[in-house]
């Protein structure tokens, strides 16, 4: 057995008898967990904190720079604690638990149908999103003990006796912690929490969170189930094997997984934009991160820079001998070193001696190996070198445990506070709600699609008004904007069907008269939960037929001043009066007031007759015009003699449809008489919806399709503002579906909207308007993003003010068919695409 075969390693490499195996025995470091404190067996105490996730909007450079600044300052300020433990834990999204909680909120007539679809969704997502995780962030700080006895001989003797006493207690099986010992660390813990909280939103970690963290180490890739007694021994149950170099196999009773620890071996000179503890979240599989930082005194940091200077001198000498030009990277490094030396000397800037390693796992070694390869390649593209060591896997496993000593010192990398801040620690991607129905995927990063993005988006339509902690808006109202054909109606119908499972009552205006036709065309003759759902809706169709005349006459379903103002607004709009025609306006006011006060059954036709009987010829002419308009075509919906029967809204879902309505071009002012009438019809339609929304006996959603038409009338805009203002108190959400956000991009309106969905912008100007509406950074990248959105893609701002580019994804085929508003292509698509 020659010396060349001797190797110190924490595991048997193989069974070759010529090799000498030296087993390194590592003692489990944790003695006890007390609240957020980890007490080690060497009586060191670490305090752990849960850092809340930070998010930045799309291309929000200013917000990103703010996070970098805070991380830099934090790294600087924590130097007083000598040793810090940063952890990023990927927590699996528990699809079953979320769907179960969602089902528990279903009630009313459609609860059973909702459960049917929830169970289908659960099965789909468990299969398609099995590796989906949410990242949680923790920071552990090694506390300093405040000595009370002084540094004299007597104090040293007393501490020695106490230490001996605790040693005897441990031998006897006593697990208690000396209260005085904890008191000696209290001041340090409070200082640590205050320092951390000054730069990052954080809270003291719960004991349950630390238990979960600890249990996770022994169940990576498997179900993390805590034992009932939650003792340290039960949390750390598991057998670790390292029979395969570079991997650890974790064995539980009925399951096993493979994991690999990958330390960083080299960071680039320029760390700007590397996002080295953030970007991997896009990879589609879980990645765990452990960053240990160790601080030394100023003289040690200064000595470190001197070492590097000597290396540069050696390199200069070698280049001179080889007669080669100096490398640009070396030159840049020399400049940075000079700046660092001055900062250490003059400002006391600390150096962070870091030990960073990433952890990936898989249910098979092959899966784990594939993920290792992908992770290494991804980091290499960013100039960061990571290695899969053959012999240090168990050492790195041990080093990742809270409170453990650094036992793999070979992987030390020295960082400055600036280079550490470029990690973007605590940054994550999240938009939407934690519990809600599945809406789609976050596809903000280039190249992401609904097929490869790991970021699920959930949405709950009835959380906005609850004033949730951390929310920016306390409003249930929603806007959905964008040009025709990009997915507005598709998204709206997805929300509509999911909302009814919560027992909400729905009133939807459908000026295009397409919902019933599209829905029923997809159900066929066979009975199904979807068919039952669609058939049960109350479709209220308004037409130009005589039987529908007067059904939207405001004098028949409104009362008092509201009836008066709405009737005046309709008549003035239809008459297209100019501001100087005050005599006609006065006549209309008097006519409406006269009919309301004298007629037992008031109606707009009676007002028209009042105008026709006027002695003023101009008023007569307007009366004649309004009579012709109100007794012909679809406009007769607004005119009656007061003898029409009311509209029943007894069903949970009510859809108001108007046939043969000639709508103006997208977002344009009406250009013809028919278009003018179509806009006028929106006034009583909106008033009818407002009356529905005022009933506060149950939760409601009022949907305005083509709501941009309302803003073509002052009355319509006033109505929307009123509903946005009062909706929360009336348990009523308003959904505004419109071509453009320009009419809602006002502080008094948009602040009343809780969630915003913005589809493609047709022009750069429209992109700028959407940017202002969403409150995101106005830059070239965001304008281009909005202009290049594809069908089904939109930018979402949730109630927390978070923004992301998302792809709407409906998992049920029958829903997709019913939501599709495109003309049947009769094979034209296949013909066109056949030769691509």
């Amino acid at each position: 057995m020659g010396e060349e075969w001797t190797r110190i390693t924490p595991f048997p490499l193989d069974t070759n008898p010529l090799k000498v195996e030296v087993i390194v025995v590592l003692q489990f470091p944790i003695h006890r967990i007390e609240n957020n404190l980890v007490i080690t067996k060497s009586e060191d105490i670490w305090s752990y904190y849960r850092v809340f996730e930070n998010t930045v909007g799309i291309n929000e450079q200013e917000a990103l720079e703010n996070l970098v600044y805070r991380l830099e300052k934090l790294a600087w300020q924590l130097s007083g604690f000598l040793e810090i433990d940063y952890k990023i834990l990927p927590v699996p999204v528990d699809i079953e638990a979320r769907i179960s909680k969602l089902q528990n909120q279903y009630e009313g007539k459609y609860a059973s149908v909702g459960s049917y679809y929830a169970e289908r969704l659960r099965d789909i997502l468990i299969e398609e999103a099995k590796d989906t995780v949410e990242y949680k962030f923790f920071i552990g700080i090694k506390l300093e003990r405040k000595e009370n006895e002084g540094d004299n001989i007597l104090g040293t003797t007393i501490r020695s006796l106490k230490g001996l006493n605790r040693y005897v207690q441990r031998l006897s099986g006593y697990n208690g912690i000396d209260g005085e010992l904890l008191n000696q660390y209290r001041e340090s813990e409070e200082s640590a929490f205050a320092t951390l909280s000054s730069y990052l939103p954080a809270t003291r970690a719960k004991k349950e969170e630390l238990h979960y963290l600890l249990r996770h180490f022994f169940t990576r890739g498997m179900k993390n189930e805590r034992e009932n007694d939650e003792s340290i021994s039960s949390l750390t149950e598991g057998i670790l094997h390292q029979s395969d170099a570079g991997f650890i196999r974790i064995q539980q009773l009925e399951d096993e997984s493979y994991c690999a620890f990958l330390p960083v071996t080299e960071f680039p000179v320029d760390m700007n934009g590397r996002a080295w503890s953030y970007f991997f979240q896009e990879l589609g599989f879980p990645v765990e991160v452990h960053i240990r930082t160790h601080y030394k005194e100023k003289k040690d940091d200064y000595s470190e820079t001197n070492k590097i200077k000597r290396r540069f001198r050696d390199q200069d000498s070698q280049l001179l001998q080889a007669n080669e030009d100096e490398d640009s990277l070396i030159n840049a490094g020399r400049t940075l070193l000079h700046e660092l030396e001055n900062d250490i000397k003059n400002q006391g800037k600390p150096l962070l001696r870091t030990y960073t390693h990433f952890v990936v796992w898989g249910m098979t070694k092959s899966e784990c190996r594939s993920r290792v390869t992908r992770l290494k390649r991804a980091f290499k593209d960013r100039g960061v070198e990571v290695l899969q060591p053959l012999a240090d896997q168990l050492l790195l496993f041990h080093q990742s445990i809270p409170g453990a000593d650094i036992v793999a010192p070979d992987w030390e990398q020295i960082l400055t506070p600036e280079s550490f801040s470029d990690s973007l620690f605590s940054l994550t991607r999240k938009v939407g709600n934690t519990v809600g129905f599945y809406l789609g995927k976050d596809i903000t990063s280039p190249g992401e699609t609904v097929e490869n993005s790991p970021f699920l988006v959930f949405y709950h339509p009835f959380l906005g008004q609850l004033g949730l902690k951390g929310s920016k808006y306390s409003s249930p109202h929603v806007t959905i904007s964008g040009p025709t054909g990009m997915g507005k109606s598709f998204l709206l119908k997805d929300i509509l069907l999911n909302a009814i499972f919560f027992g909400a009552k729905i009133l939807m205006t459908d000026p295009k008269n397409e919902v019933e036709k599209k829905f029923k065309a997809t159900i066929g003759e066979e009975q199904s939960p979807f068919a039952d759902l669609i058939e049960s809706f109350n479709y209220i169709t308004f037409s130009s037929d005589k039987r529908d005349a007067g059904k939207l006459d405001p004098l028949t379903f409104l009362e008092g001043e509201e009836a008066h103002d709405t009737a005046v607004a309709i008549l003035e709009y239809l008459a297209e009066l100019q501001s100087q025609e005050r005599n006609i306006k006065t006549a209309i006011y008097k006519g409406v007031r006269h009919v309301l006060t004298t007629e037992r059954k008031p109606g707009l036709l009676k007002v028209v007759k009042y105008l026709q009987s006027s002695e003023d010829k101009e008023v007569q002419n307007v009366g004649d015009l309004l009579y012709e308009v109100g007794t012909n075509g679809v406009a007769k919906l607004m005119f009656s003699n007061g003898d029409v029967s009311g509209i029943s809204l007894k069903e949970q879902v009510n859809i108001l449809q108007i046939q043969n309505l000639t709508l103006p071009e997208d977002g344009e002012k009406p250009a013809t008489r028919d278009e003018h009438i179509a806009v006028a019809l929106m006034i009583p339609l909106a008033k009818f919806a407002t009356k529905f929304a005022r009933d506060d006996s149950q939760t409601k959603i009022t949907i305005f399709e083509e709501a941009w038409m309302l803003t073509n009338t002052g009355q319509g805009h006033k109505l929307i503002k009123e509903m946005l203002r009062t909706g929360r108190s009336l348990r009523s959400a308003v959904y505004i579906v419109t071509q453009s956000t320009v009419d809602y991009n006002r502080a008094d309106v948009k602040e009343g909207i809780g969630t915003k969905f913005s589809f493609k912008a047709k022009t750069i100007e429209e992109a700028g308007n959407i940017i202002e509406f969403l409150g995101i950074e106005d830059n070239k990248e965001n304008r281009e993003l909005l202009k290049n959105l594809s069908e089904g893609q939109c930018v979402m701002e949730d109630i927390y003010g978070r923004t992301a580019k998302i792809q709407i994804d409906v998992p049920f085929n029958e829903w997709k068919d019913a939501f599709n508003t495109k003309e049947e292509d009769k094979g034209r698509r296949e013909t066109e695409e056949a030769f691509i």
Side-chain angles (χ1 to χ4, degrees), residues 143-204:
L143 302 179
E144 292 182 323
R145 182 188 306 189
K146 181 181 179 182
E147 302 290 1
N148 295 320
E149 291 94 350
D151 294 326
N152 53 40
I153 296 175
L154 178 60
T156 302
T157 304
I158 292 172
R159 287 196 300 274
S160 299
L161 289 173
K162 285 184 176 180
L164 177 62
N165 181 47
R166 283 190 285 268
Y167 176 71
V168 172
Q169 289 174 342
R170 286 200 300 271
L171 289 178
S172 65
Y174 175 70
N175 287 322
I177 296 296
D178 189 343
E180 185 178 344
L181 177 65
L182 292 179
N183 286 333
Q184 292 173 5
Y185 288 95
R186 182 166 288 114
E187 183 178 327
S188 181
E189 192 281 331
E190 291 174 352
S191 175
F193 186 41
T195 301
L196 175 58
S197 301
S198 297
Y199 299 99
L200 293 176
T203 186
R204 290 178 171 91

Side-chain angles (χ1 to χ4, degrees), residues 66 86 140 191 246 309 409 482 553 594 637 712 797 814:
N66 178 263
Y86 299 86
S191 175
K309 283 168 71 176
D553 186 336
H594 172 77
L637 284 165
N712 282 323
E797 183 187 17
E814 64 269 34

Side-chain angles (χ1 to χ4, degrees), residues 703-714:
I703 300 169
F704 293 111
E705 270 265 38
E706 305 298 334
W708 58 271
M709 293 170 62
L710 274 175
T711 57
N712 282 323
T713 67

Side-chain angles (χ1 to χ4, degrees), residues 130-395:
K130 58 184 177 182
D131 290 321
T132 300
V133 297
E134 290 183 339
Y135 285 89
K136 308 298 180 185
F137 302 86
F138 297 87
I139 293 181
I141 300 176
K142 190 174 183 179
L143 302 179
E144 292 182 323
R145 182 188 306 189
K146 181 181 179 182
E147 302 290 1
N148 295 320
E149 291 94 350
D151 294 326
N152 53 40
I153 296 175
L154 178 60
T156 302
T157 304
I158 292 172
R159 287 196 300 274
S160 299
L161 289 173
K162 285 184 176 180
L164 177 62
N165 181 47
R166 283 190 285 268
Y167 176 71
V168 172
Q169 289 174 342
R170 286 200 300 271
L171 289 178
S172 65
Y174 175 70
N175 287 322
I177 296 296
D178 189 343
E180 185 178 344
L181 177 65
L182 292 179
N183 286 333
Q184 292 173 5
Y185 288 95
R186 182 166 288 114
E187 183 178 327
S188 181
E189 192 281 331
E190 291 174 352
S191 175
F193 186 41
T195 301
L196 175 58
S197 301
S198 297
Y199 299 99
L200 293 176
T203 186
R204 290 178 171 91
K206 297 176 183 177
K207 186 175 182 179
E208 295 78 14
E209 290 175 322
L210 292 175
H211 281 179
Y212 182 92
L213 179 67
L214 192 54
R215 185 62 183 149
H216 162 78
F217 296 146
F218 296 87
T219 58
R220 286 183 172 102
M222 296 174 273
K223 196 160 186 179
N224 186 339
E225 293 183 348
R226 297 194 295 268
E227 302 292 336
N228 291 332
D229 60 4
E230 295 187 341
S231 64
I232 297 297
S233 59
S234 68
L235 293 169
T236 56
E237 281 289 334
I239 302 174
L240 308 179
H241 302 272
Q242 198 176 352
S243 55
D244 296 299
F247 297 92
I248 292 177
R249 179 165 61 93
I250 305 174
Q251 185 177 354
Q252 293 292 331
L253 282 176
E254 298 179 353
D255 212 347
E256 68 176 20
S257 66
Y258 288 80
C259 62
F261 291 75
L262 309 167
V264 173
T265 62
E266 185 178 350
F267 281 114
V269 172
D270 183 5
M271 298 284 281
N272 186 37
R274 305 293 173 172
W276 52 271
S277 77
Y278 165 68
F279 82 90
F280 56 78
Q281 296 179 27
E282 301 170 5
L283 291 177
F285 57 84
V287 179
E288 183 184 323
V289 187
H290 300 274
I291 309 169
R292 291 287 291 275
T293 67
H294 182 63
Y295 295 92
K296 290 187 178 181
E297 296 182 4
K298 178 179 176 180
K299 62 181 179 62
D300 297 309
D301 292 343
Y302 200 67
S303 174
E304 194 69 41
T305 62
N306 285 330
K307 278 190 214 174
I308 301 172
K309 283 168 71 176
R310 286 195 294 272
R311 289 180 199 162
F312 277 125
R313 283 196 293 269
D314 292 341
Q315 288 171 339
D316 288 341
S317 176
Q318 292 170 10
L319 289 170
L320 187 62
Q321 291 177 9
N323 196 27
E324 293 182 4
D325 293 333
E326 187 176 65
D327 187 275
S328 61
L329 190 61
I330 295 174
N331 192 42
R334 183 180 284 106
T335 302
L336 291 172
L337 179 64
H338 179 70
E339 294 175 357
L340 176 60
E341 191 175 28
N342 286 334
D343 288 343
I344 294 172
K345 183 178 180 180
N346 301 320
Q347 300 178 35
K349 176 185 285 187
L351 293 180
L352 288 70
R353 290 157 177 81
T354 64
Y355 307 85
T356 301
H357 64 266
F358 303 90
V359 190
V360 296
W361 57 83
M363 299 313 293
T364 64
K365 189 168 72 171
S366 175
E367 183 179 46
C368 186
R369 181 186 291 113
S370 172
R371 292 176 174 182
V372 168
T373 302
R374 288 175 60 191
L375 187 71
K376 289 169 67 176
R377 186 185 301 122
F379 273 102
K380 190 169 185 178
D381 289 343
R382 291 181 173 252
V384 179
E385 294 290 337
V386 297
L387 179 72
Q388 183 182 11
L390 302 181
D392 280 356
Q393 292 292 315
L394 282 176
L395 291 178

Side-chain angles (χ1 to χ4, degrees), residues 720-736:
I720 285 182
K721 282 183 63 176
E722 176 193 342
M723 294 185 73
L724 293 178
R725 187 179 65 252
T726 61
R728 180 181 175 185
S729 60
L730 295 173
R731 303 170 63 195
S732 180
V734 178
Y735 280 65
I736 300 170

Side-chain angles (χ1 to χ4, degrees), residues 605-617:
L605 276 180
K606 293 180 178 179
V607 178
V608 170
K609 291 173 183 176
Y610 174 89
L611 297 175
Q612 288 177 309
S613 65
S614 173
E615 295 180 359
D616 187 324
K617 189 63 177 175

